[in-house]
Coordinates of all heavy atoms in Angstrom, one line a residue:
M1 N 86.1 141.3 64.2 CA 87.3 142.1 64.2 C 87.5 142.7 65.5 O 86.6 143.3 66.1 CB 87.1 143.2 63.1 CG 88.3 144.1 63.0 SD 88.2 145.2 61.6 CE 87.3 146.6 62.3
N2 N 88.7 142.6 66.1 CA 89.0 143.2 67.3 C 89.7 144.5 67.2 O 90.9 144.6 67.1 CB 89.9 142.2 68.1 CG 90.2 142.7 69.5 OD1 89.8 143.8 69.9 ND2 90.9 141.8 70.2
L3 N 88.9 145.5 67.0 CA 89.4 146.9 66.7 C 90.3 147.4 67.8 O 91.4 147.8 67.6 CB 88.3 147.8 66.4 CG 88.6 149.3 66.2 CD1 89.4 149.5 65.0 CD2 87.4 150.2 66.2
L4 N 89.8 147.4 69.0 CA 90.6 148.0 70.1 C 91.8 147.2 70.4 O 92.8 147.7 70.9 CB 89.7 148.2 71.3 CG 88.6 149.2 71.1 CD1 87.8 149.3 72.4 CD2 89.1 150.5 70.6
G5 N 91.8 145.8 70.2 CA 92.9 145.0 70.5 C 94.1 145.3 69.6 O 95.3 145.0 69.9
A6 N 93.8 145.9 68.4 CA 94.8 146.2 67.4 C 95.4 147.6 67.6 O 96.3 148.0 66.8 CB 94.2 146.0 66.0
L7 N 94.8 148.4 68.5 CA 95.3 149.7 68.7 C 96.2 149.8 70.0 O 96.1 149.0 70.9 CB 94.1 150.6 68.9 CG 93.1 150.7 67.8 CD1 91.9 151.5 68.1 CD2 93.7 151.2 66.5
D8 N 97.0 150.9 70.0 CA 97.8 151.1 71.2 C 96.8 151.7 72.3 O 95.7 152.1 72.0 CB 98.9 152.2 70.9 CG 98.4 153.5 70.4 OD1 98.0 154.3 71.3 OD2 98.2 153.7 69.2
T9 N 97.3 151.7 73.5 CA 96.4 152.0 74.6 C 95.8 153.5 74.5 O 94.6 153.6 74.7 CB 97.2 152.0 76.0 OG1 97.7 150.6 76.1 CG2 96.3 152.3 77.2
K10 N 96.6 154.4 74.1 CA 96.1 155.8 74.0 C 95.1 155.9 73.0 O 94.0 156.5 73.2 CB 97.3 156.7 73.6 CG 96.9 158.2 73.6 CD 98.1 159.1 73.2 CE 97.7 160.5 73.0 NZ 98.8 161.4 72.6
T11 N 95.2 155.3 71.8 CA 94.2 155.4 70.7 C 93.0 154.6 71.1 O 91.9 155.0 70.9 CB 94.8 154.8 69.4 OG1 96.0 155.5 69.1 CG2 93.8 155.0 68.3
S12 N 93.1 153.5 71.9 CA 91.9 152.7 72.3 C 91.1 153.6 73.2 O 89.8 153.5 73.1 CB 92.4 151.5 73.1 OG 93.0 150.6 72.2
V13 N 91.7 154.3 74.1 CA 90.9 155.2 75.0 C 90.2 156.2 74.2 O 89.1 156.6 74.5 CB 91.9 155.8 76.1 CG1 91.2 156.9 76.9 CG2 92.4 154.6 77.1
Q14 N 90.9 156.8 73.3 CA 90.3 157.9 72.4 C 89.1 157.3 71.7 O 88.0 158.0 71.7 CB 91.3 158.5 71.4 CG 92.4 159.2 72.1 CD 93.5 159.7 71.1 OE1 93.7 159.0 70.0 NE2 94.2 160.7 71.4
V15 N 89.2 156.1 71.2 CA 88.0 155.5 70.4 C 86.9 155.3 71.4 O 85.7 155.6 71.1 CB 88.5 154.2 69.7 CG1 87.2 153.4 69.2 CG2 89.4 154.5 68.6
M16 N 87.2 154.7 72.6 CA 86.1 154.5 73.6 C 85.5 155.7 74.0 O 84.2 155.8 74.2 CB 86.7 153.7 74.8 CG 87.1 152.3 74.4 SD 85.8 151.3 73.6 CE 84.5 151.4 74.8
E17 N 86.2 156.8 74.2 CA 85.6 158.1 74.6 C 84.7 158.6 73.5 O 83.6 159.2 73.8 CB 86.7 159.2 74.9 CG 87.4 158.8 76.2 CD 86.6 158.9 77.4 OE1 85.6 159.7 77.5 OE2 86.9 158.1 78.4
I18 N 85.0 158.5 72.2 CA 84.2 158.8 71.1 C 82.9 158.0 71.1 O 81.8 158.6 71.0 CB 84.9 158.7 69.8 CG1 86.0 159.7 69.7 CG2 83.9 158.8 68.6 CD1 87.0 159.5 68.5
L19 N 83.0 156.7 71.3 CA 81.8 155.8 71.4 C 80.9 156.2 72.6 O 79.7 156.2 72.5 CB 82.3 154.4 71.4 CG 82.9 153.8 70.2 CD1 83.4 152.4 70.4 CD2 81.9 153.9 69.0
K20 N 81.6 156.6 73.7 CA 80.8 157.0 74.9 C 79.9 158.2 74.5 O 78.8 158.3 74.9 CB 81.7 157.2 76.0 CG 81.1 157.5 77.3 CD 82.1 157.7 78.4 CE 81.5 157.9 79.8 NZ 82.5 158.0 80.8
K21 N 80.5 159.2 73.8 CA 79.7 160.4 73.4 C 78.6 160.0 72.5 O 77.5 160.5 72.6 CB 80.7 161.4 72.8 CG 81.6 162.1 73.8 CD 82.5 163.0 73.0 CE 83.6 163.6 74.0 NZ 84.5 164.5 73.4
I22 N 78.9 159.2 71.5 CA 77.9 158.7 70.6 C 76.8 158.0 71.3 O 75.6 158.2 70.9 CB 78.5 157.8 69.5 CG1 79.4 158.7 68.6 CG2 77.4 157.2 68.6 CD1 80.3 157.8 67.7
S23 N 77.1 157.2 72.3 CA 76.0 156.4 73.0 C 75.0 157.2 73.7 O 74.0 156.7 74.2 CB 76.8 155.5 74.0 OG 77.2 156.1 75.1
K24 N 75.2 158.5 73.9 CA 74.2 159.4 74.5 C 73.0 159.5 73.7 O 71.9 159.8 74.1 CB 74.8 160.8 74.9 CG 75.8 160.7 76.0 CD 76.4 162.0 76.3 CE 77.5 161.8 77.4 NZ 78.2 163.0 77.7
D25 N 73.2 159.4 72.3 CA 72.1 159.5 71.4 C 71.8 158.3 70.6 O 70.7 158.2 69.9 CB 72.4 160.7 70.4 CG 72.5 162.0 71.0 OD1 71.8 162.3 72.0 OD2 73.4 162.8 70.6
K26 N 72.7 157.3 70.6 CA 72.6 156.1 69.7 C 72.9 154.9 70.6 O 73.7 155.0 71.5 CB 73.6 156.2 68.6 CG 73.5 157.4 67.7 CD 72.4 157.3 66.7 CE 72.5 158.5 65.8 NZ 71.2 158.9 65.3
L27 N 72.4 153.8 70.2 CA 72.7 152.5 70.8 C 74.0 152.0 70.3 O 74.3 151.9 69.1 CB 71.6 151.5 70.5 CG 71.9 150.1 71.0 CD1 72.0 150.0 72.6 CD2 70.9 149.1 70.5
I28 N 74.9 151.7 71.3 CA 76.2 151.1 70.9 C 76.2 149.7 71.5 O 76.0 149.6 72.7 CB 77.4 151.9 71.4 CG1 77.4 153.4 70.9 CG2 78.7 151.3 71.1 CD1 77.7 153.5 69.5
I29 N 76.5 148.7 70.8 CA 76.7 147.3 71.3 C 78.2 147.0 71.1 O 78.7 147.0 70.0 CB 75.8 146.4 70.5 CG1 74.3 146.7 70.7 CG2 76.1 144.9 71.0 CD1 73.4 145.9 70.0
M30 N 78.8 146.7 72.2 CA 80.2 146.3 72.2 C 80.4 144.9 72.7 O 79.7 144.5 73.7 CB 81.0 147.2 73.2 CG 82.4 146.9 73.3 SD 83.4 148.0 74.3 CE 82.7 147.8 76.0
V31 N 81.1 144.1 71.9 CA 81.4 142.7 72.3 C 82.9 142.7 72.6 O 83.7 143.1 71.8 CB 81.0 141.8 71.1 CG1 81.4 140.3 71.5 CG2 79.6 141.9 70.7
T32 N 83.2 142.2 73.8 CA 84.6 142.2 74.3 C 84.8 141.0 75.2 O 83.9 140.5 75.9 CB 85.0 143.5 74.9 OG1 86.4 143.5 75.3 CG2 84.1 143.8 76.2
H33 N 86.1 140.6 75.3 CA 86.5 139.7 76.3 C 87.2 140.4 77.4 O 87.8 139.7 78.3 CB 87.5 138.6 75.7 CG 86.7 137.7 74.8 ND1 86.8 137.8 73.4 CD2 86.0 136.6 75.0 CE1 86.0 136.9 72.9 NE2 85.6 136.1 73.8
N34 N 87.2 141.7 77.4 CA 87.9 142.5 78.3 C 86.9 143.1 79.4 O 86.3 144.1 79.2 CB 88.6 143.7 77.6 CG 89.5 144.5 78.5 OD1 89.2 144.6 79.7 ND2 90.5 145.1 78.0
P35 N 86.8 142.5 80.5 CA 85.9 142.9 81.5 C 86.1 144.3 82.1 O 85.2 145.0 82.4 CB 86.0 141.8 82.6 CG 87.2 141.1 82.4 CD 87.6 141.3 81.0
D36 N 87.4 144.7 82.1 CA 87.7 146.0 82.6 C 87.2 147.1 81.6 O 86.6 148.1 82.1 CB 89.2 146.2 82.8 CG 89.8 145.3 83.8 OD1 89.1 145.0 84.8 OD2 91.0 144.9 83.7
L37 N 87.3 146.9 80.4 CA 86.8 147.8 79.3 C 85.3 147.8 79.4 O 84.7 148.9 79.4 CB 87.2 147.3 78.0 CG 87.0 148.2 76.8 CD1 87.9 149.5 76.9 CD2 87.3 147.5 75.5
A38 N 84.6 146.7 79.6 CA 83.2 146.7 79.7 C 82.7 147.4 81.0 O 81.8 148.2 80.8 CB 82.7 145.2 79.7
E39 N 83.3 147.2 82.1 CA 83.0 147.9 83.3 C 83.1 149.4 83.2 O 82.2 150.1 83.7 CB 83.8 147.4 84.5 CG 83.5 146.0 84.9 CD 82.2 145.8 85.6 OE1 81.6 146.8 86.2 OE2 81.6 144.7 85.5
K40 N 84.1 149.9 82.6 CA 84.4 151.3 82.5 C 83.5 152.1 81.6 O 83.1 153.2 81.9 CB 85.9 151.5 82.1 CG 86.3 153.0 82.1 CD 87.7 153.2 81.9 CE 88.0 154.7 81.9 NZ 89.5 155.0 81.8
Y41 N 83.1 151.4 80.4 CA 82.4 152.1 79.4 C 80.9 151.7 79.2 O 80.3 152.3 78.3 CB 83.2 152.1 78.1 CG 84.4 152.9 78.1 CD1 85.6 152.3 78.4 CD2 84.4 154.2 77.9 CE1 86.8 153.0 78.4 CE2 85.6 155.0 78.0 CZ 86.8 154.4 78.2 OH 87.9 155.1 78.2
S42 N 80.5 150.7 79.9 CA 79.1 150.2 79.6 C 78.1 150.6 80.7 O 78.4 150.7 81.8 CB 79.2 148.7 79.5 OG 80.1 148.3 78.5
S43 N 76.9 150.8 80.2 CA 75.8 151.0 81.1 C 75.0 149.7 81.4 O 74.3 149.6 82.4 CB 74.8 152.1 80.6 OG 74.3 151.6 79.3
R44 N 75.2 148.7 80.6 CA 74.6 147.4 80.8 C 75.6 146.3 80.3 O 76.1 146.4 79.2 CB 73.3 147.3 80.1 CG 72.6 146.0 80.3 CD 71.3 146.0 79.6 NE 70.5 144.8 79.8 CZ 69.4 144.5 79.2 NH1 68.9 145.3 78.2 NH2 68.8 143.4 79.4
I45 N 75.8 145.3 81.1 CA 76.7 144.2 80.7 C 75.9 142.9 80.7 O 75.3 142.6 81.8 CB 77.9 144.1 81.6 CG1 78.7 145.4 81.5 CG2 78.8 142.9 81.3 CD1 79.9 145.5 82.6
I46 N 75.9 142.3 79.6 CA 75.2 141.0 79.5 C 76.3 139.9 79.3 O 77.0 140.0 78.3 CB 74.2 141.0 78.4 CG1 73.1 142.0 78.7 CG2 73.5 139.6 78.3 CD1 72.1 142.2 77.6
K47 N 76.4 139.0 80.2 CA 77.5 137.9 80.0 C 76.8 136.7 79.4 O 75.7 136.3 79.8 CB 78.1 137.6 81.3 CG 78.9 138.8 81.9 CD 79.6 138.4 83.2 CE 80.4 139.7 83.7 NZ 81.1 139.4 84.9
I48 N 77.5 136.1 78.5 CA 77.0 135.0 77.8 C 78.0 133.8 77.8 O 79.2 134.0 77.6 CB 76.7 135.3 76.3 CG1 75.7 136.4 76.2 CG2 76.2 134.0 75.5 CD1 75.4 136.9 74.9
L49 N 77.6 132.6 78.1 CA 78.4 131.4 78.1 C 77.7 130.3 77.4 O 76.6 130.0 77.7 CB 78.7 131.0 79.5 CG 79.6 129.8 79.7 CD1 81.0 130.0 79.2 CD2 79.7 129.3 81.2
D50 N 78.4 129.7 76.4 CA 77.8 128.7 75.6 C 76.5 129.0 75.0 O 75.6 128.3 75.0 CB 77.7 127.4 76.4 CG 79.1 126.9 76.9 OD1 80.1 127.1 76.2 OD2 79.1 126.2 77.9
G51 N 76.3 130.3 74.5 CA 75.1 130.7 73.9 C 74.0 131.1 74.9 O 72.9 131.3 74.4
R52 N 74.2 131.1 76.1 CA 73.2 131.3 77.1 C 73.6 132.5 77.9 O 74.7 132.7 78.3 CB 72.9 130.2 78.0 CG 72.4 129.0 77.3 CD 71.9 127.9 78.3 NE 71.4 126.7 77.6 CZ 70.2 126.5 77.1 NH1 69.3 127.4 77.3 NH2 69.9 125.4 76.5
I53 N 72.6 133.4 78.3 CA 72.8 134.5 79.1 C 73.0 134.0 80.6 O 72.2 133.3 81.1 CB 71.7 135.5 79.1 CG1 71.6 136.2 77.7 CG2 71.9 136.6 80.1 CD1 70.4 137.0 77.5
T54 N 74.2 134.4 81.1 CA 74.5 133.9 82.5 C 74.4 135.1 83.5 O 74.2 134.8 84.7 CB 75.9 133.3 82.6 OG1 76.8 134.4 82.2 CG2 76.1 132.1 81.7
E55 N 74.4 136.3 83.0 CA 74.4 137.5 83.9 C 73.9 138.7 83.1 O 74.1 138.8 81.9 CB 75.7 137.9 84.4 CG 76.0 137.4 85.9 CD 77.4 137.9 86.3 OE1 77.5 139.1 86.7 OE2 78.3 137.1 86.3
D56 N 73.1 139.6 83.8 CA 72.7 140.8 83.1 C 72.7 141.8 84.2 O 72.0 141.8 85.3 CB 71.2 140.6 82.6 CG 70.7 141.8 81.8 OD1 71.3 142.9 81.9 OD2 69.8 141.6 81.1
S57 N 73.6 142.8 84.0 CA 73.8 143.8 85.1 C 72.6 144.9 85.2 O 72.5 145.5 86.3 CB 75.1 144.6 84.8 OG 74.9 145.4 83.6
N58 N 71.8 144.9 84.2 CA 70.7 145.9 84.3 C 69.5 145.3 83.5 O 69.1 145.9 82.4 CB 71.1 147.3 83.7 CG 70.1 148.3 83.9 OD1 69.2 148.2 84.7 ND2 70.3 149.4 83.2
P59 N 68.9 144.2 84.0 CA 67.8 143.6 83.2 C 66.6 144.5 83.1 O 66.3 145.3 83.9 CB 67.5 142.3 84.0 CG 67.9 142.6 85.4 CD 69.1 143.6 85.2
I60 N 65.9 144.3 82.0 CA 64.6 145.0 81.8 C 63.6 144.3 82.5 O 63.4 143.1 82.4 CB 64.3 145.1 80.3 CG1 65.4 145.9 79.6 CG2 62.9 145.7 80.1 CD1 65.2 145.9 78.1
V61 N 62.8 145.0 83.4 CA 61.8 144.4 84.2 C 60.5 144.9 83.7 O 60.2 146.1 83.6 CB 61.9 144.8 85.7 CG1 60.8 144.2 86.5 CG2 63.3 144.4 86.3
E62 N 59.6 144.0 83.3 CA 58.3 144.4 82.7 C 57.4 144.8 83.8 O 57.5 144.2 85.0 CB 57.7 143.3 81.9 CG 58.5 143.0 80.6 CD 57.9 142.0 79.8 OE1 56.6 141.9 79.8 OE2 58.6 141.2 79.1
N63 N 56.5 145.6 83.6 CA 55.5 146.1 84.6 C 54.6 144.9 84.9 O 53.9 144.3 84.1 CB 54.6 147.2 84.0 CG 53.7 147.8 85.0 OD1 53.6 147.4 86.2 ND2 53.1 148.9 84.6
K64 N 54.6 144.5 86.2 CA 53.9 143.3 86.6 C 52.4 143.7 86.9 O 51.6 142.8 87.0 CB 54.5 142.8 87.9 CG 55.9 142.3 87.7 CD 56.0 141.1 86.9 CE 57.4 140.6 86.8 NZ 57.6 139.5 85.8
K65 N 52.1 145.0 87.0 CA 50.7 145.4 87.3 C 49.9 145.2 86.0 O 50.2 145.7 85.0 CB 50.7 146.8 87.7 CG 49.4 147.3 88.2 CD 49.5 148.8 88.6 CE 48.1 149.3 89.0 NZ 48.2 150.7 89.4
E66 N 48.8 144.4 86.1 CA 47.9 144.2 85.0 C 46.6 144.7 85.3 O 46.0 144.6 86.4 CB 47.9 142.7 84.7 CG 49.1 142.1 84.2 CD 49.1 140.7 84.0 OE1 48.1 140.1 84.5 OE2 49.9 140.1 83.3
E67 N 46.0 145.5 84.4 CA 44.7 146.0 84.5 C 43.7 145.1 84.0 O 43.8 144.5 82.9 CB 44.6 147.4 83.8 CG 43.5 148.2 84.2 CD 43.6 149.6 83.5 OE1 44.7 150.1 83.4 OE2 42.5 150.1 83.0
K68 N 42.6 144.8 84.7 CA 41.5 143.8 84.2 C 40.3 144.6 83.9 O 39.8 145.4 84.6 CB 41.3 142.8 85.3 CG 42.4 141.8 85.5 CD 42.0 140.7 86.5 CE 43.1 139.8 86.6 NZ 42.7 138.6 87.5
I69 N 39.8 144.3 82.7 CA 38.5 144.8 82.3 C 37.7 143.6 81.7 O 38.2 143.0 80.8 CB 38.6 145.9 81.2 CG1 39.3 147.1 81.8 CG2 37.3 146.3 80.7 CD1 39.7 148.2 80.8
D70 N 36.5 143.4 82.3 CA 35.7 142.3 81.8 C 36.5 140.9 81.9 O 36.4 140.1 81.0 CB 35.1 142.5 80.4 CG 34.2 143.7 80.3 OD1 33.6 143.9 81.3 OD2 34.1 144.3 79.2
N71 N 37.2 140.7 82.9 CA 38.0 139.5 83.1 C 39.1 139.3 82.0 O 39.6 138.2 81.9 CB 37.1 138.3 83.2 CG 36.3 138.3 84.5 OD1 36.7 138.9 85.5 ND2 35.1 137.8 84.4
R72 N 39.4 140.3 81.3 CA 40.4 140.2 80.2 C 41.7 141.0 80.7 O 41.5 142.1 81.2 CB 40.0 140.7 78.9 CG 38.9 139.8 78.3 CD 38.5 140.4 77.0 NE 37.7 141.6 77.3 CZ 37.1 142.4 76.4 NH1 37.3 142.2 75.1 NH2 36.4 143.5 76.7
K73 N 42.8 140.5 80.5 CA 44.0 141.2 80.9 C 44.4 142.1 79.7 O 44.2 141.8 78.5 CB 45.2 140.2 81.1 CG 45.0 139.3 82.3 CD 46.2 138.4 82.4 CE 46.0 137.5 83.6 NZ 47.1 136.5 83.7
I74 N 44.7 143.3 80.1 CA 45.1 144.3 79.0 C 46.6 144.6 79.2 O 47.1 144.8 80.3 CB 44.3 145.6 79.2 CG1 42.9 145.3 78.9 CG2 44.9 146.6 78.2 CD1 42.0 146.5 79.0

């Protein structure tokens, strides 16, 4: 369902501002074809093409430092 595409511009902005406030305490996942909307309201943008991730604006980087005890990785 394209909720924001069915709304007028003023109401769309109001809805996005509400979601922005909610996102301070909750995870919000937005799927859109509108890059301007994504850029303005998102803290992370993951682009997908043909089912594959092509871009990630804020990828999670795992800690590369590994501690060794008795030759075992922890």
